[in-house]
Amino acid sequence: MIDTYNVSIMELRHLRYFIGVAEELHFARAATRLGISQPPLSQQIHQLEAELGVKLFDRTSRSVKLTSAGTAFLPEARATLEKASRAVNVAHRASRGELGELNIGFNASAPFVPTIARSIYAFRQTWPDVKLNLTEVGGRTQAAELVDHALDVCFVRGSRRPDLCDAIEVAPILRERLFVALRPDHRLARRNELNLSDLAGEPLLIYKREHCAVFTEELFAMLRGAGVEPMVAHEVREISTLFGLAAAGIGLCVIAESMCALQSAKLVYRPLADPESTTAIWLVHLREGASLPCRNFLEIIAKEAALDS
C-alpha cells in the first residue's frame, strides 16, 4: 500500500490518471477514457512523477511502457483507490443507517410478543449489516443503561407507565391479560376463568426479584388488593425453570398472555377475570441523540405496532 506521506502529497485523481494510462499504454486512449484532453493528462502524469521522484513511464513517439517503478506502483495505486472507494461507500452506508450497532434491552417475555418479534426480524432483514446486540435486562437498570448509552432502546414490562426521567421517551407497545399456568389435573384447571381471589393459599412460582421486580411487585399488589397474601413456593431465574416447576406441580405461575405461546402438554392456561389483571409492554428510549440505526428501528416498530392496534 502507498505510504501515508506519499498519499498526502498527491491527489486521488493522480492515481486514477496513472492507472488509466498504465492500462491503456496510450495517452490519447487514456484521455478519452478518463474524459479529459490529452495535454492536461500528460501534465498530471509529469506532476505525479515529479512528486514521487521516479519515472513511471518510458515514452517514445510510437509507444508508452511502464518502467519498473511504474510496474511496482500500479498494484499499490489500484489498492489505494479501492480502499478510498470502500471508505466513501462505508461513509455513505453509515449515513443511511446501514452500518453500526443497535443495542436492545428486553425483559424475559418481550421476545414472545408478536409485535416485538416481527420488528426485530424486519430490522434484521432490512439492515442486515447493522450489528444487533440483544441483552436481557432485569430489575430497574434499564433507564440507567439508556442514559449511559449502553442501550439504545429497551422493552419494559409493567401495568403502569414507567416513571422515568425526562430524558427518556416512553411509548406503549401492548397491553394484555394475565393468565395462570397450572397442571391440567389441578382443581382450578376445570374453570374457564379465574379470579385473583382463587389464588388464596396457592403456592406461587415467581421470577427472582432482581430480574422482574416490577412485575412481581405489581402482581403482589394485585393479590393483596383482592385480599390474598402471596405464598411463594420458589423463585426462579429462567422461563424454562418457571414452566418446568409449574408442570411438576410445585406451584402456579401468573404470566402475561403472550407467554401462553409456550405450549406444554403438562400445563393449561386460564385467564384472570379481574379488570386490573393486566400488564403492558413499554418501549423506552432517549428522547434525543438516538443513532440512525436506532431511529430506523423505532420506525419499524411503530409500523408493526400500528398493525396490531
Side-chain angles (χ1 to χ4, degrees):
M1 195 70 65
I2 299 170
D3 63 48
T4 303
Y5 171 74
N6 282 334
V7 170
S8 69
I9 64 174
M10 68 182 76
E11 298 180 19
L12 291 176
R13 62 188 173 88
H14 287 134
L15 300 182
R16 288 195 292 270
Y17 293 158
F18 164 71
I19 292 170
V21 175
E23 291 178 347
E24 296 291 343
L25 293 178
H26 193 282
F27 273 81
R29 289 197 300 270
T32 300
R33 167 179 158 181
L34 294 166
I36 63 173
S37 60
Q38 183 174 338
L41 176 60
S42 297
Q43 292 172 5
Q44 294 296 321
I45 295 300
H46 282 301
Q47 183 179 347
L48 177 60
E49 290 177 323
E51 290 175 344
L52 293 176
V54 297
K55 189 176 182 182
L56 299 173
F57 296 100
D58 283 327
R59 310 167 182 81
T60 69
S61 58
R62 295 184 176 181
S63 67
V64 176
K65 296 181 180 179
L66 284 166
T67 64
S68 58
T71 299
F73 187 64
L74 180 58
E76 298 296 320
R78 284 173 174 154
T80 298
L81 276 187
E82 289 173 0
K83 185 174 182 179
S85 178
R86 286 196 300 272
V88 170
N89 183 54
V90 165
H92 286 167
R93 295 188 66 197
S95 73
R96 296 191 296 267
E98 296 176 7
L99 299 175
E101 292 190 16
L102 177 64
N103 300 296
I104 299 178
F106 59 93
N107 65 300
S109 60
F112 299 96
V113 175
T115 301
I116 298 174
R118 291 199 312 267
S119 298
I120 293 174
Y121 178 78
F123 184 85
R124 295 295 296 125
Q125 297 303 303
T126 308
W127 313 104
D129 294 325
V130 173
K131 184 180 180 183
L132 186 59
N133 300 312
L134 301 169
T135 306
E136 187 173 349
V137 182
R140 294 184 172 87
T141 64
Q142 297 97 335
E145 297 202 32
L146 286 169
V147 172
D148 292 341
H149 297 281
L151 294 175
D152 296 303
V153 298
C154 191
F155 295 102
V156 179
R157 182 172 287 285
S159 62
R160 296 182 297 275
R161 183 184 184 88
D163 184 16
L164 302 174
C165 65
D166 292 340
I168 296 178
E169 180 76 23
V170 179
I173 295 297
L174 170 75
R175 180 163 291 278
E176 55 187 339
R177 298 177 71 180
L178 292 177
F179 278 64
V180 178
L182 65 168
R183 286 178 56 90
D185 56 3
H186 191 283
R187 63 180 182 84
L188 294 177
R190 295 190 293 270
R191 306 258 301 274
N192 292 327
E193 284 187 332
L194 300 177
N195 295 305
L196 288 166
S197 58
D198 294 323
L199 302 183
E202 293 290 342
L204 298 177
L205 302 166
I206 65 169
Y207 291 108
K208 282 190 175 294
R209 311 299 174 87
E210 63 268 24
H211 290 279
C212 296
V214 173
F215 180 81
T216 300
E217 289 171 7
E218 290 181 345
L219 172 61
F220 283 7
M222 290 178 196
L223 288 168
R224 288 174 177 136
V228 177
E229 183 58 32
M231 187 173 71
V232 177
H234 199 75
E235 295 187 16
V236 304
R237 296 179 183 274
E238 305 292 338
I239 291 177
S240 58
T241 307
L242 186 76
F243 281 76
L245 292 180
I250 303 301
L252 311 182
C253 56
V254 178
I255 59 174
E257 184 174 2
S258 53
M259 297 293 291
C260 296
L262 291 173
Q263 293 295 326
S264 170
K266 296 181 179 180
L267 289 175
V268 294
Y269 306 99
R270 298 293 181 259
L272 285 168
D274 308 72
E276 67 273 24
S277 298
T278 65
T279 184
I281 289 282
W282 308 84
L283 173 65
V284 298
H285 60 89
L286 291 177
R287 293 182 184 274
E288 299 179 357
S291 67
L292 191 49
C294 179
R295 296 200 298 273
N296 289 335
F297 180 75
L298 293 176
E299 288 182 6
I300 287 176
I301 197 164
K303 291 177 182 178
E304 293 295 336
L307 294 176
D308 294 333
S309 61

